[in-house]
Every structure is written in C-alpha cells, then in structure tokens.
Amino acid sequence: AATMKDGDSDAQVTREDQQKINKFARHNAKLQDLNEELNIKKKELENLSDAEEDMMMLDDSDGPIPYQIGELFVNTNAEEAQALIEKAKEAVQETIDNINTQADVHKQVLSDLKVQL
C-alpha cells in the first residue's frame, strides 16, 4: 500500500481559487439568509390569508374589528379591515417575489462557481 507524507497531501490553493471559495461562501450564506427570510414572509402571508378567511365569517353587526398596525390596534369596520388585509397580502407577496429574484441570482452565481471549482 502506498503512503503519503503530510506535505504531499496538502493541496495547493491558488489565490484566485481562494477568492472563488470565499465568494462561494458569501453567496451561500446570503442564500441561506434569504431562505430564512422567505420562510418568515410565507408564514406572514399564510397568517394574513387565515385572517382574511376569518373576516369572511364575521357579520357586519359584530361591531368594530381591531386591526394591528405596528404595535397599535385600530378599530375598523369589516370592509376597511378586509381592504387593509388585502393590501398587506399584496405587499408581502411583492416582498416574496423580490426575495425569490435575489435568491435566483445567488443560485446562479453558486452554480457558476461550482463549475469553476
């Protein structure tokens, strides 16, 4: 059986390769962050959809509906609350689309770097 000395087993990494490895690590970390943010936004969208479904079950005679804006609750009627929820859903969906676009860019860079490395 052939044996290797410690010096022979160390692969030489060029400066250019090290820069590519570092770039890969940065993009991979950013992609993971985007995936975490995407999961949070998807949960937020799901919560808004649930709230929208709950709103459909309410009767206008149920009185004012509290709607949270930041840390403040504002009493609104069912129609206004429905409009606010719809607007919030659109904003979250737009954010999700933006995150997906950014993730696709990072995935492409990672794919290109995998070929080079």
Side-chain angles (χ1 to χ4, degrees):
T3 60
M4 287 187 173
K5 295 180 182 176
D6 287 338
D8 292 342
S9 65
D10 290 337
Q12 293 295 320
V13 178
T14 65
R15 179 176 171 85
E16 182 180 320
D17 285 345
Q18 186 61 51
Q19 288 175 338
K20 289 177 184 177
I21 292 168
N22 292 346
K23 183 177 181 180
F24 183 91
R26 284 192 309 272
H27 282 276
N28 193 41
K30 182 64 176 170
L31 183 60
Q32 289 177 356
D33 291 344
L34 288 171
N35 284 334
E36 288 175 19
E37 187 177 347
L38 183 62
N39 288 335
I40 291 169
K41 291 300 179 182
K42 283 182 178 180
K43 181 68 177 165
E44 187 177 332
L45 185 61
E46 184 180 315
N47 290 342
L48 286 167
S49 294
D50 291 345
E52 189 174 44
E53 288 174 17
D54 290 345
M55 288 292 302
M56 290 179 191
M57 293 183 221
L58 291 177
D59 188 356
D60 280 339
S61 63
D62 288 341
I65 298 166
Y67 184 83
Q68 185 176 4
I69 301 175
E71 294 183 18
L72 178 69
F73 282 92
V74 179
N75 285 330
T76 64
N77 62 32
E79 189 176 303
E80 288 177 40
Q82 190 76 23
L84 289 169
I85 290 171
E86 188 60 37
K87 190 174 183 181
K89 280 179 61 177
E90 289 172 5
V92 171
Q93 186 59 54
E94 186 176 322
T95 302
I96 287 172
D97 293 342
N98 289 338
I99 292 171
N100 281 328
T101 301
Q102 291 175 18
D104 289 343
V105 169
H106 289 289
K107 286 176 186 175
Q108 183 61 47
V109 170
L110 290 174
S111 177
D112 292 345
L113 286 172
K114 281 181 186 178
V115 170
Q116 294 174 21
L117 295 172

